[in-house]
């Protein structure tokens, strides 16, 4: 038997939202309309093919005072009070909702009682609490504040201490992985007999999270490698218009890199079980800017000082910083002229090089090439966008239905994570870039594994924020 908990409460208190967040199931129907849940539904968390824990979403109490009157008058075996109530009223429509919500308790499920902490305690709430106390089952109370305008948390805690084994503030609209684990830790305290089984659940949750982070790391590195090494070329003939060829190459290049990034985003989204089609990033998200836009390159990546220091590891000078790429074709914001980095943030090169040059771009005798990308900053842009998207996914509770997101580092002009890397972390990234782009004469087999370790550690740090 796996641990099972019934999520109970008054209508429209956020029960379905709590279940959705705890089970990471964003397809559970969550509605502001009271009474949307009319029957009890089981939601089992499965990890690696094994059922781990079950939560039951129940209808809200409808006639708690009448139900309490029957509970108080019952003079039989208290261990059978729920079963006897259901047997007595199973065909009575007046108590239909109460029988439905109490059904998981008849098989010994633990109780998670949910209230909206933004409203005051009412008489019906006191009746509900007393009903649950009289069941004699292990029980926890959750204060799920749905708004920030009013807060009656202290009043709720005062009443809860009279009726429940454990109390926790748990906002299903903001709770991340850490909060969910803390919630499970609190459940351990409601009954000593459940400690071992819930400890195994917590271990499974943590191990699964680590597995997901390793998969995200692999997806990130694969995408970064493909993006940095990608190149595209177009034939040049005596009648070709070089400017149009470059525009066409630029468009194809950017589209391909964006497709790679979007596939990575979808993999991350799937790993963290966000399935709703209507999910959208907040309009304030840095990711709303195009990957190659000026805003992206201003807000993400390293500062000029950090980039200069990192460039010393890669070798050569970073050259001049321009607002547009070579020949006036907009490509990101950083264009490098001179030094070993060649023509720019996207290296325009040529095969069978002729003597003709135009705006610093060498035209080949038969083709014009765009890529591979030789700009170290591009590595950090890709890292930042992946980490920000990851942060959005892990910090968006599954019970939330609006477009709220959480930005990255907000302490400086730069909004990404890489600008907060220490010198050692930036060195790891630079060595990875150097090895990947063929600038390292001696291939260090540990470079990629060290970079993988760095990315996974950063993911773990973001998880704990």
């Amino acid at each position: 038997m796996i641990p099972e908990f019934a999520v109970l409460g008054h209508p429209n208190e956020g029960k379905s939202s709590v279940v959705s967040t705890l089970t990471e199931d964003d397809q559970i129907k969550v509605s502001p309309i009271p009474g949307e849940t009319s029957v009890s539904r089981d939601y089992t968390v499965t990890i690696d093919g094994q059922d781990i824990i079950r939560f039951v979403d129940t209808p809200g109490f409808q006639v708690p005072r009448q139900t309490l009157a029957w509970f108080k008058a019952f003079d039989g075996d208290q261990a059978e009070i729920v079963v006897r109530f259901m047997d007595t009223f199973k065909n009575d429509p007046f108590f239909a909702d109460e029988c439905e919500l109490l059904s998981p308790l008849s098989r010994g499920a633990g109780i998670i009682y949910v209230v909206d902490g933004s409203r005051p305690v009412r008489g019906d709430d006191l009746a509900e609490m007393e009903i649950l106390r009289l069941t004699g089952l292990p029980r926890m109370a959750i204060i799920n504040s749905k708004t920030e305008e009013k807060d009656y948390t202290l009043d709720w805690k005062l009443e809860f201490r009279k009726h429940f084994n454990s109390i926790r503030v748990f906002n299903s609209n903001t709770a991340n992985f850490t909060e969910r684990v803390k919630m499970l830790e609190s459940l351990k305290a409601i009954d000593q007999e459940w400690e071992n089984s819930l400890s195994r659940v917590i271990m499974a949750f943590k191990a699964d999270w680590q597995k997901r982070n390793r998969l995200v790391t692999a997806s990130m590195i694969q995408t970064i490698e493909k993006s940095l090494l990608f190149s595209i070329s177009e034939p040049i003939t005596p009648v070709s218009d070089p400017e149009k060829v470059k525009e066409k190459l630029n468009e194809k290049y950017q589209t391909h890199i964006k497709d790679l990034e979007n596939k990575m985003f979808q993999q991350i989204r799937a790993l963290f079980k966000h399935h709703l089609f209507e999910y959208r990033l907040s309009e304030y998200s840095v990711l709303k800017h195009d990957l190659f836009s000026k805003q992206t390159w201003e807000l993400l990546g390293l500062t000029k000082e950090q980039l200069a220091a990192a460039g010393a590891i890669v070798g050569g000078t970073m050259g001049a910083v321009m607002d547009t790429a070579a020949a006036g074709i907009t490509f990101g914001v950083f264009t490098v002229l001179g030094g070993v980095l060649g023509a720019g943030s996207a290296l325009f090169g040529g095969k069978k090089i002729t003597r003709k040059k135009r705006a610093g771009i060498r035209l080949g005798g038969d083709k014009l090439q765009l890529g591979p990308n030789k700009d170290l900053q591009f590595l950090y842009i890709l890292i930042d966008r992946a980490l920000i998207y990851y942060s959005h996914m892990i910090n968006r509770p599954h019970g939330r239905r609006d477009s709220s997101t959480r930005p990255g580092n907000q302490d400086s002009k730069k909004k990404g994570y890489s600008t907060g890397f220490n010198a050692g972390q930036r060195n790891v990234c630079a060595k990875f870039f150097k090895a990947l782009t063929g600038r390292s004469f001696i291939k260090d087999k540990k470079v990629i594994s060290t970079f993988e370790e760095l990315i996974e550690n950063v993911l773990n740090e973001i998880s704990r924020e």
Side-chain angles (χ1 to χ4, degrees), residues 67-68 70 89 144 166 175 181-182 229 237 247 265 315-316 332-333 369 412 427 460:
T67 301
L68 177 59
W70 186 93
F89 298 108
N144 179 39
S166 180
V181 170
K182 288 180 179 178
L229 296 177
T237 68
E247 289 180 9
F265 286 169
V333 67
Q369 180 173 302
S412 64
N427 288 348
N460 291 332

mmCIF file with all atom_site columns, all heavy atoms in Angstrom, residues 67-68 70 89 144 166 175 181-182 229 237 247 265 315-316 332-333 369 412 427 460:
data_model
loop_
_atom_site.group_PDB
_atom_site.id
_atom_site.type_symbol
_atom_site.label_atom_id
_atom_site.label_alt_id
_atom_site.label_comp_id
_atom_site.label_asym_id
_atom_site.label_entity_id
_atom_site.label_seq_id
_atom_site.pdbx_PDB_ins_code
_atom_site.Cartn_x
_atom_site.Cartn_y
_atom_site.Cartn_z
_atom_site.occupancy
_atom_site.B_iso_or_equiv
_atom_site.pdbx_formal_charge
_atom_site.auth_seq_id
_atom_site.auth_comp_id
_atom_site.auth_asym_id
_atom_site.auth_atom_id
_atom_site.pdbx_PDB_model_num
ATOM 1   N N   . THR A 1 67  ? -23.978 17.423 9.200   1.00 0.00 ? 67  THR A N   1
ATOM 2   C CA  . THR A 1 67  ? -23.107 16.257 9.282   1.00 0.00 ? 67  THR A CA  1
ATOM 3   C C   . THR A 1 67  ? -22.479 16.159 10.666  1.00 0.00 ? 67  THR A C   1
ATOM 4   O O   . THR A 1 67  ? -22.395 15.069 11.261  1.00 0.00 ? 67  THR A O   1
ATOM 5   C CB  . THR A 1 67  ? -21.998 16.335 8.213   1.00 0.00 ? 67  THR A CB  1
ATOM 6   O OG1 . THR A 1 67  ? -22.610 16.409 6.917   1.00 0.00 ? 67  THR A OG1 1
ATOM 7   C CG2 . THR A 1 67  ? -21.090 15.120 8.273   1.00 0.00 ? 67  THR A CG2 1
ATOM 8   N N   . LEU A 1 68  ? -22.040 17.297 11.195  1.00 0.00 ? 68  LEU A N   1
ATOM 9   C CA  . LEU A 1 68  ? -21.437 17.307 12.522  1.00 0.00 ? 68  LEU A CA  1
ATOM 10  C C   . LEU A 1 68  ? -22.440 16.869 13.585  1.00 0.00 ? 68  LEU A C   1
ATOM 11  O O   . LEU A 1 68  ? -22.082 16.143 14.532  1.00 0.00 ? 68  LEU A O   1
ATOM 12  C CB  . LEU A 1 68  ? -20.900 18.701 12.850  1.00 0.00 ? 68  LEU A CB  1
ATOM 13  C CG  . LEU A 1 68  ? -20.297 18.865 14.248  1.00 0.00 ? 68  LEU A CG  1
ATOM 14  C CD1 . LEU A 1 68  ? -19.127 17.910 14.455  1.00 0.00 ? 68  LEU A CD1 1
ATOM 15  C CD2 . LEU A 1 68  ? -19.858 20.312 14.474  1.00 0.00 ? 68  LEU A CD2 1
ATOM 16  N N   . TRP A 1 70  ? -24.803 14.704 13.287  1.00 0.00 ? 70  TRP A N   1
ATOM 17  C CA  . TRP A 1 70  ? -24.863 13.240 13.266  1.00 0.00 ? 70  TRP A CA  1
ATOM 18  C C   . TRP A 1 70  ? -23.618 12.645 13.906  1.00 0.00 ? 70  TRP A C   1
ATOM 19  O O   . TRP A 1 70  ? -23.700 11.688 14.684  1.00 0.00 ? 70  TRP A O   1
ATOM 20  C CB  . TRP A 1 70  ? -25.005 12.744 11.820  1.00 0.00 ? 70  TRP A CB  1
ATOM 21  C CG  . TRP A 1 70  ? -25.212 11.260 11.732  1.00 0.00 ? 70  TRP A CG  1
ATOM 22  C CD1 . TRP A 1 70  ? -26.407 10.598 11.692  1.00 0.00 ? 70  TRP A CD1 1
ATOM 23  C CD2 . TRP A 1 70  ? -24.188 10.243 11.715  1.00 0.00 ? 70  TRP A CD2 1
ATOM 24  N NE1 . TRP A 1 70  ? -26.195 9.233  11.643  1.00 0.00 ? 70  TRP A NE1 1
ATOM 25  C CE2 . TRP A 1 70  ? -24.836 8.987  11.662  1.00 0.00 ? 70  TRP A CE2 1
ATOM 26  C CE3 . TRP A 1 70  ? -22.807 10.274 11.750  1.00 0.00 ? 70  TRP A CE3 1
ATOM 27  C CZ2 . TRP A 1 70  ? -24.154 7.786  11.629  1.00 0.00 ? 70  TRP A CZ2 1
ATOM 28  C CZ3 . TRP A 1 70  ? -22.116 9.069  11.719  1.00 0.00 ? 70  TRP A CZ3 1
ATOM 29  C CH2 . TRP A 1 70  ? -22.773 7.844  11.665  1.00 0.00 ? 70  TRP A CH2 1
ATOM 30  N N   . PHE A 1 89  ? -26.318 7.192  4.937   1.00 0.00 ? 89  PHE A N   1
ATOM 31  C CA  . PHE A 1 89  ? -26.803 8.235  4.020   1.00 0.00 ? 89  PHE A CA  1
ATOM 32  C C   . PHE A 1 89  ? -26.421 8.003  2.555   1.00 0.00 ? 89  PHE A C   1
ATOM 33  O O   . PHE A 1 89  ? -26.529 8.918  1.748   1.00 0.00 ? 89  PHE A O   1
ATOM 34  C CB  . PHE A 1 89  ? -26.267 9.590  4.471   1.00 0.00 ? 89  PHE A CB  1
ATOM 35  C CG  . PHE A 1 89  ? -26.731 10.011 5.830   1.00 0.00 ? 89  PHE A CG  1
ATOM 36  C CD1 . PHE A 1 89  ? -25.846 10.012 6.911   1.00 0.00 ? 89  PHE A CD1 1
ATOM 37  C CD2 . PHE A 1 89  ? -28.047 10.387 6.051   1.00 0.00 ? 89  PHE A CD2 1
ATOM 38  C CE1 . PHE A 1 89  ? -26.260 10.399 8.174   1.00 0.00 ? 89  PHE A CE1 1
ATOM 39  C CE2 . PHE A 1 89  ? -28.475 10.770 7.322   1.00 0.00 ? 89  PHE A CE2 1
ATOM 40  C CZ  . PHE A 1 89  ? -27.578 10.772 8.386   1.00 0.00 ? 89  PHE A CZ  1
ATOM 41  N N   . ASN A 1 144 ? -3.903  28.013 2.344   1.00 0.00 ? 144 ASN A N   1
ATOM 42  C CA  . ASN A 1 144 ? -3.583  28.275 0.941   1.00 0.00 ? 144 ASN A CA  1
ATOM 43  C C   . ASN A 1 144 ? -4.086  29.670 0.587   1.00 0.00 ? 144 ASN A C   1
ATOM 44  O O   . ASN A 1 144 ? -5.211  29.842 0.125   1.00 0.00 ? 144 ASN A O   1
ATOM 45  C CB  . ASN A 1 144 ? -4.247  27.209 0.055   1.00 0.00 ? 144 ASN A CB  1
ATOM 46  C CG  . ASN A 1 144 ? -3.987  27.430 -1.425  1.00 0.00 ? 144 ASN A CG  1
ATOM 47  O OD1 . ASN A 1 144 ? -2.905  27.813 -1.824  1.00 0.00 ? 144 ASN A OD1 1
ATOM 48  N ND2 . ASN A 1 144 ? -5.004  27.177 -2.237  1.00 0.00 ? 144 ASN A ND2 1
ATOM 49  N N   . SER A 1 166 ? -0.818  18.728 12.398  1.00 0.00 ? 166 SER A N   1
ATOM 50  C CA  . SER A 1 166 ? 0.225   19.535 11.764  1.00 0.00 ? 166 SER A CA  1
ATOM 51  C C   . SER A 1 166 ? -0.432  20.668 10.980  1.00 0.00 ? 166 SER A C   1
ATOM 52  O O   . SER A 1 166 ? -1.546  20.517 10.458  1.00 0.00 ? 166 SER A O   1
ATOM 53  C CB  . SER A 1 166 ? 1.081   18.662 10.826  1.00 0.00 ? 166 SER A CB  1
ATOM 54  O OG  . SER A 1 166 ? 2.093   19.419 10.203  1.00 0.00 ? 166 SER A OG  1
ATOM 55  N N   . ALA A 1 175 ? 4.192   27.566 -4.875  1.00 0.00 ? 175 ALA A N   1
ATOM 56  C CA  . ALA A 1 175 ? 5.041   26.508 -4.324  1.00 0.00 ? 175 ALA A CA  1
ATOM 57  C C   . ALA A 1 175 ? 5.911   25.856 -5.397  1.00 0.00 ? 175 ALA A C   1
ATOM 58  O O   . ALA A 1 175 ? 5.412   25.406 -6.425  1.00 0.00 ? 175 ALA A O   1
ATOM 59  C CB  . ALA A 1 175 ? 4.180   25.448 -3.644  1.00 0.00 ? 175 ALA A CB  1
ATOM 60  N N   . VAL A 1 181 ? 8.548   19.377 -1.209  1.00 0.00 ? 181 VAL A N   1
ATOM 61  C CA  . VAL A 1 181 ? 9.278   18.441 -0.355  1.00 0.00 ? 181 VAL A CA  1
ATOM 62  C C   . VAL A 1 181 ? 9.060   18.786 1.119   1.00 0.00 ? 181 VAL A C   1
ATOM 63  O O   . VAL A 1 181 ? 8.861   17.894 1.960   1.00 0.00 ? 181 VAL A O   1
ATOM 64  C CB  . VAL A 1 181 ? 10.777  18.446 -0.702  1.00 0.00 ? 181 VAL A CB  1
ATOM 65  C CG1 . VAL A 1 181 ? 11.576  17.668 0.342   1.00 0.00 ? 181 VAL A CG1 1
ATOM 66  C CG2 . VAL A 1 181 ? 11.007  17.833 -2.082  1.00 0.00 ? 181 VAL A CG2 1
ATOM 67  N N   . LYS A 1 182 ? 9.084   20.067 1.451   1.00 0.00 ? 182 LYS A N   1
ATOM 68  C CA  . LYS A 1 182 ? 8.833   20.483 2.835   1.00 0.00 ? 182 LYS A CA  1
ATOM 69  C C   . LYS A 1 182 ? 7.432   20.069 3.279   1.00 0.00 ? 182 LYS A C   1
ATOM 70  O O   . LYS A 1 182 ? 7.200   19.714 4.440   1.00 0.00 ? 182 LYS A O   1
ATOM 71  C CB  . LYS A 1 182 ? 9.012   21.995 2.969   1.00 0.00 ? 182 LYS A CB  1
ATOM 72  C CG  . LYS A 1 182 ? 10.466  22.464 2.903   1.00 0.00 ? 182 LYS A CG  1
ATOM 73  C CD  . LYS A 1 182 ? 10.556  23.973 3.055   1.00 0.00 ? 182 LYS A CD  1
ATOM 74  C CE  . LYS A 1 182 ? 12.005  24.440 3.015   1.00 0.00 ? 182 LYS A CE  1
ATOM 75  N NZ  . LYS A 1 182 ? 12.105  25.924 3.116   1.00 0.00 ? 182 LYS A NZ  1
ATOM 76  N N   . LEU A 1 229 ? 28.484  24.860 -33.465 1.00 0.00 ? 229 LEU A N   1
ATOM 77  C CA  . LEU A 1 229 ? 29.186  24.225 -34.578 1.00 0.00 ? 229 LEU A CA  1
ATOM 78  C C   . LEU A 1 229 ? 28.442  24.321 -35.907 1.00 0.00 ? 229 LEU A C   1
ATOM 79  O O   . LEU A 1 229 ? 28.996  23.988 -36.953 1.00 0.00 ? 229 LEU A O   1
ATOM 80  C CB  . LEU A 1 229 ? 29.442  22.747 -34.258 1.00 0.00 ? 229 LEU A CB  1
ATOM 81  C CG  . LEU A 1 229 ? 30.364  22.477 -33.060 1.00 0.00 ? 229 LEU A CG  1
ATOM 82  C CD1 . LEU A 1 229 ? 30.474  20.980 -32.805 1.00 0.00 ? 229 LEU A CD1 1
ATOM 83  C CD2 . LEU A 1 229 ? 31.736  23.094 -33.283 1.00 0.00 ? 229 LEU A CD2 1
ATOM 84  N N   . THR A 1 237 ? 27.726  32.954 -57.688 1.00 0.00 ? 237 THR A N   1
ATOM 85  C CA  . THR A 1 237 ? 27.994  32.951 -59.122 1.00 0.00 ? 237 THR A CA  1
ATOM 86  C C   . THR A 1 237 ? 28.280  34.373 -59.567 1.00 0.00 ? 237 THR A C   1
ATOM 87  O O   . THR A 1 237 ? 28.033  35.333 -58.817 1.00 0.00 ? 237 THR A O   1
ATOM 88  C CB  . THR A 1 237 ? 26.783  32.398 -59.902 1.00 0.00 ? 237 THR A CB  1
ATOM 89  O OG1 . THR A 1 237 ? 25.694  33.332 -59.788 1.00 0.00 ? 237 THR A OG1 1
ATOM 90  C CG2 . THR A 1 237 ? 26.353  31.046 -59.357 1.00 0.00 ? 237 THR A CG2 1
ATOM 91  N N   . GLU A 1 247 ? 21.726  37.841 -46.724 1.00 0.00 ? 247 GLU A N   1
ATOM 92  C CA  . GLU A 1 247 ? 20.443  37.942 -46.019 1.00 0.00 ? 247 GLU A CA  1
ATOM 93  C C   . GLU A 1 247 ? 19.765  36.571 -45.936 1.00 0.00 ? 247 GLU A C   1
ATOM 94  O O   . GLU A 1 247 ? 19.208  36.208 -44.900 1.00 0.00 ? 247 GLU A O   1
ATOM 95  C CB  . GLU A 1 247 ? 19.539  38.944 -46.740 1.00 0.00 ? 247 GLU A CB  1
ATOM 96  C CG  . GLU A 1 247 ? 19.978  40.394 -46.586 1.00 0.00 ? 247 GLU A CG  1
ATOM 97  C CD  . GLU A 1 247 ? 19.051  41.340 -47.323 1.00 0.00 ? 247 GLU A CD  1
ATOM 98  O OE1 . GLU A 1 247 ? 17.991  40.859 -47.802 1.00 0.00 ? 247 GLU A OE1 1
ATOM 99  O OE2 . GLU A 1 247 ? 19.373  42.520 -47.436 1.00 0.00 ? 247 GLU A OE2 1
ATOM 100 N N   . PHE A 1 265 ? 13.752  23.684 -25.301 1.00 0.00 ? 265 PHE A N   1
ATOM 101 C CA  . PHE A 1 265 ? 12.730  24.200 -24.396 1.00 0.00 ? 265 PHE A CA  1
ATOM 102 C C   . PHE A 1 265 ? 11.595  23.186 -24.228 1.00 0.00 ? 265 PHE A C   1
ATOM 103 O O   . PHE A 1 265 ? 11.107  22.963 -23.115 1.00 0.00 ? 265 PHE A O   1
ATOM 104 C CB  . PHE A 1 265 ? 12.159  25.518 -24.931 1.00 0.00 ? 265 PHE A CB  1
ATOM 105 C CG  . PHE A 1 265 ? 13.075  26.698 -24.789 1.00 0.00 ? 265 PHE A CG  1
ATOM 106 C CD1 . PHE A 1 265 ? 12.785  27.898 -25.436 1.00 0.00 ? 265 PHE A CD1 1
ATOM 107 C CD2 . PHE A 1 265 ? 14.214  26.637 -24.005 1.00 0.00 ? 265 PHE A CD2 1
ATOM 108 C CE1 . PHE A 1 265 ? 13.617  28.997 -25.301 1.00 0.00 ? 265 PHE A CE1 1
ATOM 109 C CE2 . PHE A 1 265 ? 15.063  27.732 -23.866 1.00 0.00 ? 265 PHE A CE2 1
ATOM 110 C CZ  . PHE A 1 265 ? 14.758  28.917 -24.521 1.00 0.00 ? 265 PHE A CZ  1
ATOM 111 N N   . GLY A 1 315 ? 41.994  32.774 -26.135 1.00 0.00 ? 315 GLY A N   1
ATOM 112 C CA  . GLY A 1 315 ? 43.136  33.141 -26.969 1.00 0.00 ? 315 GLY A CA  1
ATOM 113 C C   . GLY A 1 315 ? 42.776  34.242 -27.929 1.00 0.00 ? 315 GLY A C   1
ATOM 114 O O   . GLY A 1 315 ? 41.694  34.275 -28.507 1.00 0.00 ? 315 GLY A O   1
ATOM 115 N N   . GLY A 1 316 ? 43.705  35.188 -28.108 1.00 0.00 ? 316 GLY A N   1
ATOM 116 C CA  . GLY A 1 316 ? 43.463  36.291 -29.022 1.00 0.00 ? 316 GLY A CA  1
ATOM 117 C C   . GLY A 1 316 ? 42.698  37.404 -28.344 1.00 0.00 ? 316 GLY A C   1
ATOM 118 O O   . GLY A 1 316 ? 42.336  37.335 -27.179 1.00 0.00 ? 316 GLY A O   1
ATOM 119 N N   . GLY A 1 332 ? 22.440  39.492 -33.995 1.00 0.00 ? 332 GLY A N   1
ATOM 120 C CA  . GLY A 1 332 ? 22.833  39.692 -32.610 1.00 0.00 ? 332 GLY A CA  1
ATOM 121 C C   . GLY A 1 332 ? 23.208  41.153 -32.427 1.00 0.00 ? 332 GLY A C   1
ATOM 122 O O   . GLY A 1 332 ? 22.775  42.030 -33.144 1.00 0.00 ? 332 GLY A O   1
ATOM 123 N N   . VAL A 1 333 ? 24.067  41.422 -31.468 1.00 0.00 ? 333 VAL A N   1
ATOM 124 C CA  . VAL A 1 333 ? 24.507  42.791 -31.241 1.00 0.00 ? 333 VAL A CA  1
ATOM 125 C C   . VAL A 1 333 ? 26.022  42.900 -31.194 1.00 0.00 ? 333 VAL A C   1
ATOM 126 O O   . VAL A 1 333 ? 26.576  43.952 -31.435 1.00 0.00 ? 333 VAL A O   1
ATOM 127 C CB  . VAL A 1 333 ? 23.876  43.349 -29.943 1.00 0.00 ? 333 VAL A CB  1
ATOM 128 C CG1 . VAL A 1 333 ? 24.399  42.625 -28.742 1.00 0.00 ? 333 VAL A CG1 1
ATOM 129 C CG2 . VAL A 1 333 ? 24.120  44.840 -29.823 1.00 0.00 ? 333 VAL A CG2 1
ATOM 130 N N   . GLN A 1 369 ? 29.852  31.291 -46.782 1.00 0.00 ? 369 GLN A N   1
ATOM 131 C CA  . GLN A 1 369 ? 29.538  30.475 -45.607 1.00 0.00 ? 369 GLN A CA  1
ATOM 132 C C   . GLN A 1 369 ? 29.264  31.327 -44.388 1.00 0.00 ? 369 GLN A C   1
ATOM 133 O O   . GLN A 1 369 ? 29.947  32.317 -44.151 1.00 0.00 ? 369 GLN A O   1
ATOM 134 C CB  . GLN A 1 369 ? 30.699  29.512 -45.313 1.00 0.00 ? 369 GLN A CB  1
ATOM 135 C CG  . GLN A 1 369 ? 30.461  28.622 -44.096 1.00 0.00 ? 369 GLN A CG  1
ATOM 136 C CD  . GLN A 1 369 ? 31.538  27.579 -43.927 1.00 0.00 ? 369 GLN A CD  1
ATOM 137 O OE1 . GLN A 1 369 ? 31.765  26.779 -44.837 1.00 0.00 ? 369 GLN A OE1 1
ATOM 138 N NE2 . GLN A 1 369 ? 32.214  27.609 -42.793 1.00 0.00 ? 369 GLN A NE2 1
ATOM 139 N N   . SER A 1 412 ? 21.470  43.387 -11.437 1.00 0.00 ? 412 SER A N   1
ATOM 140 C CA  . SER A 1 412 ? 22.288  44.250 -12.279 1.00 0.00 ? 412 SER A CA  1
ATOM 141 C C   . SER A 1 412 ? 21.599  44.435 -13.605 1.00 0.00 ? 412 SER A C   1
ATOM 142 O O   . SER A 1 412 ? 20.499  43.932 -13.840 1.00 0.00 ? 412 SER A O   1
ATOM 143 C CB  . SER A 1 412 ? 23.669  43.612 -12.487 1.00 0.00 ? 412 SER A CB  1
ATOM 144 O OG  . SER A 1 412 ? 23.533  42.399 -13.197 1.00 0.00 ? 412 SER A OG  1
ATOM 145 N N   . ASN A 1 427 ? 35.938  30.112 -16.246 1.00 0.00 ? 427 ASN A N   1
ATOM 146 C CA  . ASN A 1 427 ? 37.081  29.411 -16.840 1.00 0.00 ? 427 ASN A CA  1
ATOM 147 C C   . ASN A 1 427 ? 36.651  28.062 -17.421 1.00 0.00 ? 427 ASN A C   1
ATOM 148 O O   . ASN A 1 427 ? 37.107  27.661 -18.501 1.00 0.00 ? 427 ASN A O   1
ATOM 149 C CB  . ASN A 1 427 ? 38.186  29.199 -15.800 1.00 0.00 ? 427 ASN A CB  1
ATOM 150 C CG  . ASN A 1 427 ? 38.910  30.484 -15.451 1.00 0.00 ? 427 ASN A CG  1
ATOM 151 O OD1 . ASN A 1 427 ? 38.749  31.499 -16.134 1.00 0.00 ? 427 ASN A OD1 1
ATOM 152 N ND2 . ASN A 1 427 ? 39.693  30.460 -14.388 1.00 0.00 ? 427 ASN A ND2 1
ATOM 153 N N   . ASN A 1 460 ? 20.926  22.713 -9.913  1.00 0.00 ? 460 ASN A N   1
ATOM 154 C CA  . ASN A 1 460 ? 20.590  22.376 -8.527  1.00 0.00 ? 460 ASN A CA  1
ATOM 155 C C   . ASN A 1 460 ? 20.479  23.629 -7.670  1.00 0.00 ? 460 ASN A C   1
ATOM 156 O O   . ASN A 1 460 ? 19.596  23.719 -6.785  1.00 0.00 ? 460 ASN A O   1
ATOM 157 C CB  . ASN A 1 460 ? 21.627  21.422 -7.944  1.00 0.00 ? 460 ASN A CB  1
ATOM 158 C CG  . ASN A 1 460 ? 21.580  20.039 -8.567  1.00 0.00 ? 460 ASN A CG  1
ATOM 159 O OD1 . ASN A 1 460 ? 20.542  19.602 -9.036  1.00 0.00 ? 460 ASN A OD1 1
ATOM 160 N ND2 . ASN A 1 460 ? 22.712  19.338 -8.584  1.00 0.00 ? 460 ASN A ND2 1
#
